[in-house]
Amino acid sequence: MDLAGKHLVLGMTGGIAAYKVCELARRLQDHGATVQVVMTRAAQEFVTSTTMQALSGKPVFTDQWGAEGGRVNNAMPHIDLTREADAIVVAPASAHFLAKTAQGLADDLLSTLVLARSCPLLVAPAMNVEMWNSAATQRNVQTLRGDGVELLGPGVGDQACGETGAGRMLEPSELLEDIIAFFQPKLLQDKRVLITAGPTFEPIDPVRGITNLSSGKMGFALARAAREAGAKVTLVTGPTQLPIPRGVRRLDVRTAREMHDDVMAYVNHAQVFIGVAAVADWHVSNAATSKLKKGGGAPALHFEPNPDILATVAQLPGAPFCVGFAAETDNVVEHAKAKLNSKRVQLVVANRAQDAMGSDASELHLVDAHGVTTLPADDKLAQARRIVAAIAQRLV
Ligand code: C5P
């Protein structure tokens, strides 16, 4: 319920992407928002107001003059509709709508309430690639950004007109993620955050290897939470099946040594380093280059230690603020305190390995030089947001 208590005005202008906004209206409510739909005349050429009324559970506003205006207290829908709103989201936002908004024109209900708003405006452009790239649209986009309007996308890809390029409206799931992010406090604005996640995989031969149990969920949740907080996030991840959070740069690696190398390549720019990955402590130094045969008997494997990525980063001159993770089966807090000192990091996040592995919720202990704070069990994104807040508090 990331949008609990939020009231959104969902403005729709004319564009074929309007059909995706039917889904968005539903998803926003699934996350706790109330949604008041306002449609332009062109939007109703693509989706009917009846459809949007059914999906939002509220009468849809389409006209500043008509009888529906009388439903609002003093018949001033252009004022009243947004006074209670936490934001106006316009999706799809046509090139024409962007131009009107950049100019401050107000010739229908949606443009009038956008001009009269006292809340933030988020727009999700949807148009043909040439319209998006045109000098006029780009000029209008610059103006809108300068006026503090939040641009959601557009995405790049196939378009309904048959062309390919920038101008595609973001998918409903992407818009939802961006709208949720918009409402999170910007505790790490413009900070660079480097995160490791997932397991590593150390080959024995081309088809076999040694790995650790790690779903990657906590590291990915932290990447999302840091990006929501305004950070520029790079995520170095071992093999996982998880989708990358929006706006996060992802570097895929397999072995601990590859993870180490990517971390070292990016760490200079980072103000925060969070080592969440379950890194293998050893690699096989005599890994075979062709598949080992069963008939050849059990292989004699030789192991060499992997670099300790977190400890290495923590010892760099001008090291970033370093956060380690400790999944322990017993004496969780004691082990975490020991790790804080042995790795010389500023914060260790500890949990019980049995509870944490692959699960969506776990109790966490934040251990630093001043003591221990326990975060009761909650889902990993909620916990990740608390960890981000704890880091931000310690950075200042
Ligand atoms: O004591 P242990 O090495 O298991 O500590 C775990 C913490 O150290 C985690 O934050 C993990 O990401 C990090 N780590 C690392 N490189 C290693 C081993 C662990 O960055 N080779």
Side-chain angles (χ1 to χ4, degrees):
M1 296 299 260
D2 290 318
L3 295 172
K6 296 282 184 255
H7 179 55
L8 302 175
V9 169
L10 179 58
M12 297 172 69
T13 70
I16 185 56
Y19 82 92
K20 296 186 184 176
V21 177
C22 301
E23 172 74 12
L24 177 66
R26 250 337 210 294
R27 302 286 302 277
L28 291 167
Q29 293 169 88
D30 291 345
H31 282 76
T34 52
V35 175
Q36 172 61 61
V37 178
V38 176
M39 300 174 83
T40 64
R41 208 150 53 89
Q44 296 168 71
E45 296 288 328
F46 294 89
V47 172
T48 68
S49 60
T50 314
T51 300
M52 295 314 297
Q53 172 162 342
L55 291 173
S56 66
K58 286 182 195 297
V60 169
F61 287 83
T62 56
D63 186 358
Q64 58 192 336
W65 310 120
E68 67 195 16
R71 293 199 207 107
V72 184
N73 291 343
N74 63 359
M76 287 204 197
H78 67 290
I79 307 287
D80 295 336
L81 280 174
T82 61
R83 284 299 173 263
E84 303 282 289
D86 294 288
I88 304 174
V89 178
V90 179
S94 64
H96 184 69
F97 171 80
L98 297 183
K100 278 203 312 192
T101 309
Q103 288 290 310
L105 296 178
D107 64 351
D108 62 5
L109 178 58
L110 182 60
S111 55
T112 309
L113 67 85
V114 160
L115 190 62
R117 77 184 182 281
S118 52
C119 64
L121 172 63
L122 291 72
V123 297
M127 67 196 74
N128 164 271
V129 55
E130 303 300 346
M131 290 171 86
W132 173 254
N133 286 334
S134 73
T137 300
Q138 288 305 309
R139 199 166 50 239
N140 292 331
V141 165
Q142 286 312 319
T143 302
L144 292 172
R145 286 209 172 98
D147 290 348
V149 174
E150 181 87 3
L151 271 283
L152 309 178
V156 178
D158 292 339
Q159 302 200 309
C161 54
E163 295 183 22
T164 302
R168 232 182 108 90
M169 193 180 77
L170 297 181
E171 295 301 321
S173 60
E174 297 173 313
L175 288 173
L176 184 70
E177 203 173 319
D178 280 359
I179 293 166
I180 290 170
F182 176 79
F183 286 112
Q184 290 299 316
K186 302 297 168 225
L187 299 173
L188 294 177
Q189 188 65 48
D190 295 329
K191 295 272 189 292
R192 286 177 207 276
V193 176
L194 181 62
I195 301 175
T196 65
T200 59
F201 179 91
E202 305 296 339
I204 293 173
D205 72 9
V207 297
R208 303 183 181 90
I210 297 169
T211 189
N212 287 345
L213 275 180
S214 170
S215 65
K217 285 180 185 169
M218 192 69 224
F220 276 63
L222 267 165
R224 175 171 170 178
R227 183 256 173 176
E228 286 179 344
K232 296 182 167 50
V233 183
T234 301
L235 180 67
V236 184
T237 176
T240 74
Q241 300 299 318
L242 299 174
I244 188 72
R246 282 189 50 71
V248 170
R249 174 165 50 187
R250 172 184 187 144
L251 303 171
D252 284 290
V253 297
R254 217 155 72 111
T255 67
R257 285 165 295 160
E258 287 168 9
M259 185 174 274
H260 169 271
D261 293 349
D262 273 5
V263 165
M264 289 307 144
Y266 284 89
V267 74
N268 283 344
H269 307 289
Q271 282 103 22
V272 177
F273 175 69
I274 315 177
V276 196
V279 185
D281 292 318
W282 305 87
H283 68 269
V284 179
S285 58
N286 61 338
T289 50
S290 49
K291 185 181 169 186
L292 297 170
K293 294 290 172 211
K294 236 189 298 190
L301 301 181
H302 297 293
F303 290 93
E304 279 183 11
N306 279 328
D308 187 316
I309 302 168
L310 179 59
T312 310
V313 170
Q315 278 156 36
L316 290 172
F321 182 94
C322 285
V323 183
F325 269 70
E328 303 288 348
T329 50
D330 43 1
N331 297 331
V332 174
V333 170
E334 285 66 35
H335 283 300
K337 283 181 183 162
K339 213 157 282 189
L340 189 75
N341 296 322
S342 67
K343 302 222 183 200
R344 295 171 185 229
V345 298
Q346 284 75 29
L347 182 65
V348 171
V349 181
N351 54 15
R352 263 167 46 93
Q354 318 68 312
D355 302 340
M357 294 291 183
S359 81
D360 289 319
S362 71
E363 182 186 68
L364 298 178
H365 308 280
L366 305 188
V367 181
D368 72 0
H370 303 290
V372 182
T373 313
T374 296
L375 306 178
D378 204 342
D379 72 78
K380 286 187 175 172
L381 182 56
Q383 298 291 50
R385 289 179 180 143
R386 293 187 187 113
I387 294 169
V388 162
I391 293 169
Q393 202 181 29
R394 287 162 175 81
L395 271 184
V396 287

